[in-house]
């Protein structure tokens, strides 16, 4: 039996716990060495190396490996998993800068790790942190409210951070407003928009103006139909004004931006679907705009400025103080993961996901688990339209893996959960930075790692 060496980690609720780190037995260590030494004949390792000219690539990757098998005994399945991951993480499509970790959520053991605490660019895996903080601070039943108020001859559309507001929703608001105007004997009105809930839009550290408006729109608290335009608030105001005009109310002048007065009379309001639904949508489609909006609403609810800085401060507080997630080497500058300055280690992402396996967090965080795309699920980021889990080595995991994708130039990540044949939860996070292989090739290699964790690619 191998020796146990407890290493301090944090438990949810702020309590310290000891994740058991057990060195492999002699037999297992030999198996691992052999697995790394013998060439693996598989499609995952057959591609031409993007680093073929770098003679030190393989050696450097091997030296960076850190493998651990824990528990009261080293099972055959875990030994095989360790050996397979040690070999497959060297897939040349992934490049030399790869980190990862696999946790046994039921036993709280770390099964396998490689550079797991290294600061890595997480891409959209950062949305896991944003979603966790939003659900914890706001609650899964929170609804975003868009209001219409009247005062001094002006109808003001007041944004409440609802990124799911539609033209039909605005039409209902306009219908109610028109009925009120007609009852008051008014046939014309001015229209304004109030998006003062959030601070003036700015660029996050690690963003550039080229992101606007295709990758993400300037973050405002009012938008209709999720439109990616430079000024979503004025755009929504114009749609609202057109609907008023169609209903027979003349709109006087152009739509302007103004702050509603506390004495303005409430005219109409619309409530969104629950936050849990919004989070599911955000994760399945990796919606950058929803993520950035959630970051700001979370900050407002926590009494912080509705800025990147205010939002990420709350995220750190929730992860560390509420759930005890490690923030070693953690740097977060936005809510979507678009920032090229973001750095989140694989172990932090895995610890966030591990929370989802604990029944006591099911009410608050259940929509994160439900929102994770399922391998092979059409309409989500792990769907066939994205070419995911369609490789001969990974297609066996279709329907068996839930994971959050992440893709930026120079960064690909995949973090999620799967169950073994015995029904045990395995939590994983894999991140690569700097590979020069084709993005689809990198994703195929990542999918293969997830299939390895599931055990279907044995």
């Amino acid at each position: 039996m191998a020796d146990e060496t407890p290493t301090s980690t944090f438990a949810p609720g702020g309590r310290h716990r000891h994740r058991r780190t057990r060195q492999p037995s002699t037999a297992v260590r030999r198996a691992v060495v052999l697995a790394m030494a013998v060439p693996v004949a598989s499609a995952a390792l057959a591609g031409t190396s993007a680093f073929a000219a770098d003679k030190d690539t393989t050696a450097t990757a091997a030296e960076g490996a850190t493998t651990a098998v824990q528990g009261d005994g080293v099972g055959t399945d875990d030994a095989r998993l360790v050996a397979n991951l040690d070999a497959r993480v060297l897939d040349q499509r992934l490049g030399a800068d790869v980190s990862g970790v696999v946790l046994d959520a039921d036993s709280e053991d770390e099964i396998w790790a490689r550079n797991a605490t290294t600061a890595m660019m997480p891409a959209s895996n950062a949305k896991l942190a944003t979603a966790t903080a939003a659900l914890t601070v706001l609650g899964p039943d929170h609804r975003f409210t868009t209001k219409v108020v009247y005062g001094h001859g002006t109808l003001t559309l007041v944004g409440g951070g609802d990124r799911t507001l539609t033209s039909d929703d605005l039409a209902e608001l306009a219908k109610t407003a028109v009925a009120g105007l007609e009852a008051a004997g008014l046939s014309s009105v001015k229209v304004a928009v109030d998006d003062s809930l959030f601070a003036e839009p700015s660029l996050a550290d690690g963003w550039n103006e080229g992101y606007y408006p295709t990758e993400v729109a300037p973050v405002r608290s009012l938008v209709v139909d999720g439109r990616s335009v430079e000024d979503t608030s004025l755009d929504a105001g114009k749609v609202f004004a057109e609907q008023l005009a169609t209903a027979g109310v003349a709109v006087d002048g152009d739509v302007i931006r103004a702050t509603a007065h506390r004495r303005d009379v409430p005219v109409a309001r619309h409530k969104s679907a629950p936050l849990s639904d919004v989070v599911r949508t955000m994760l399945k489609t990796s919606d950058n705009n929803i993520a950035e909006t959630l970051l700001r609403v979370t900050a407002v609810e926590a009494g912080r400025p509705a800025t990147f800085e205010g939002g990420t401060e709350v995220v750190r507080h929730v992860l560390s103080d509420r759930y005890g997630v490690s923030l070693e080497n953690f740097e977060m500058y936005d809510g979507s993961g678009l920032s090229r300055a973001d750095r989140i280690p694989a172990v932090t992402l895995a610890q966030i996901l591990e929370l989802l396996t604990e029944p006591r967090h099911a009410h608050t965080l259940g929509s994160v688990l439900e929102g994770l795309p399922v391998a092979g699920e059409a309409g989500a980021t792990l769907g066939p339209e994205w070419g995911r889990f369609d490789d001969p080595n990974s297609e066996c995991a279709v329907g068996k893996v839930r994971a959050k994708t992440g893709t930026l130039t120079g960064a690909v990540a995949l973090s999620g959960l799967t169950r073994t044949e015995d029904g045990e939860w395995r939590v994983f996070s894999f991140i690569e930075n700097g590979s020069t292989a084709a993005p689809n090739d990198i994703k195929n290699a990542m999918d293969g790692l997830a299939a390895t964790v599931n055990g279907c690619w044995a």
Side-chain angles (χ1 to χ4, degrees):
M1 182 174 292
D3 295 330
E4 288 187 1
T5 305
T7 57
S8 178
T9 59
F10 291 94
R15 300 188 305 274
H16 284 81
R17 69 181 170 190
H18 294 287
R19 185 178 299 283
R20 292 176 295 176
T21 302
R22 180 189 289 269
Q23 294 302 315
S25 65
T26 301
V28 172
R29 286 198 298 271
R30 288 173 178 166
V32 171
V33 171
L34 286 172
M36 294 176 66
V38 177
V40 177
S42 71
L45 299 179
T48 302
S49 173
F51 295 90
D54 185 351
K55 298 180 181 179
D56 295 326
T57 297
T58 302
T60 301
E63 290 168 1
T66 302
T67 301
V69 178
Q70 297 79 13
D72 295 330
V74 179
T76 302
D77 290 342
D78 282 349
R80 182 184 301 113
L81 172 62
V82 167
N84 285 339
L85 286 175
D86 275 340
R88 293 166 187 171
V89 79
L90 301 181
D91 188 324
Q92 295 174 346
R93 294 173 295 181
L94 295 172
D97 193 3
V98 186
S99 70
V101 66
V102 178
L103 307 179
D104 182 330
D106 297 308
S107 66
E108 299 184 356
D109 286 339
E110 183 180 90
I111 298 173
W112 176 91
R114 176 189 176 86
N115 304 324
T117 61
T118 300
M120 301 288 284
M121 195 190 317
S124 284
N125 275 207
K127 292 182 175 74
L128 294 170
T130 302
T132 300
L135 288 163
T136 302
V137 173
L138 297 165
D141 299 323
H142 177 86
R143 295 174 185 264
F144 304 96
T145 302
T146 304
K147 300 184 296 183
V148 178
V149 298
Y150 177 82
H152 305 287
T154 301
L155 277 179
T156 302
L157 184 63
V158 183
D162 182 4
R163 254 278 161 184
T164 65
L165 187 73
T166 67
S167 295
D168 288 342
D169 298 330
L170 279 187
E172 287 298 315
L173 289 173
K175 180 180 178 181
T176 303
V178 167
L181 292 172
E182 290 178 344
L186 299 172
S187 59
S188 66
V189 71
K190 295 181 179 181
V191 174
V193 293
D194 181 351
D195 59 4
S196 60
L197 180 65
F198 295 170
E200 193 69 19
S202 62
L203 292 171
D205 288 349
W207 283 23
N208 63 68
E209 292 183 354
Y211 285 180
Y212 291 157
T214 54
E215 298 298 328
V216 65
V219 189
R220 301 181 188 275
S221 62
L222 183 60
V223 64
V224 63
D225 293 331
R227 294 184 183 177
S228 292
V229 295
E230 287 289 344
D231 195 322
T232 59
S233 299
L234 288 179
D235 176 66
K238 291 175 182 177
V239 172
F240 182 63
E242 290 169 0
Q243 291 169 332
L244 292 172
T246 299
V249 173
V251 176
D252 183 10
D254 295 331
V255 177
I256 63 170
R257 180 176 279 105
T259 302
H261 195 279
R262 67 179 61 184
R263 295 179 182 175
D264 287 350
V265 178
V267 173
R269 71 175 185 173
H270 169 78
K271 284 189 174 293
S272 72
L275 174 60
S276 55
D277 289 356
V278 177
V279 165
R280 281 191 284 265
T281 297
M282 185 263 286
L283 292 174
K284 284 192 179 294
T285 61
S286 202
D287 192 301
N288 296 322
N289 289 300
I290 292 178
E292 297 303 342
T293 299
L294 292 185
L295 186 74
R296 281 160 177 72
V297 177
T298 301
V300 171
E301 184 70 15
R304 306 304 300 157
T307 60
F308 291 111
E309 295 78 11
T312 54
E313 177 188 351
V314 177
V315 170
R316 291 184 183 91
H317 173 76
V318 169
L319 294 181
S320 179
D321 297 347
R322 171 65 179 87
Y323 295 116
V325 171
S326 171
L327 296 187
E328 180 183 0
N329 297 324
F330 179 95
E331 297 179 43
M332 186 172 175
Y333 297 97
D334 63 0
S336 62
L338 280 173
S339 174
R340 301 191 66 80
D342 286 348
R343 295 293 184 271
I344 304 181
V347 70
T348 297
L349 294 168
Q351 286 180 11
I352 293 172
L353 290 167
E354 190 177 25
L355 299 173
L356 309 183
T357 68
E358 299 187 35
R360 58 179 170 150
H361 299 311
H363 173 71
T364 301
L365 302 180
S367 55
V368 177
L369 178 60
E370 295 164 2
L372 291 175
V374 178
E377 175 188 16
T381 57
L382 284 183
E385 63 269 41
W386 296 98
R388 303 306 297 260
F389 288 88
D390 59 359
D391 180 274
N393 296 321
S394 63
E395 61 185 0
C396 64
V398 167
K400 300 177 182 178
V401 170
R402 285 183 176 269
K404 181 71 195 76
T405 57
T407 307
L408 284 176
T409 301
V412 174
L414 187 67
S415 300
L417 310 92
T418 187
R419 285 189 184 273
T420 66
E421 289 185 358
D422 295 331
E424 296 180 343
W425 280 113
R426 293 288 188 267
V427 181
F428 64 86
S429 178
F430 300 108
I431 311 172
E432 72 77 22
N433 285 179
S435 173
T436 58
N440 285 341
D441 290 341
I442 299 172
K443 293 173 184 177
N444 283 341
M446 283 283 186
D447 294 348
L449 294 180
T452 302
V453 176
N454 172 261
C456 67
W457 184 21

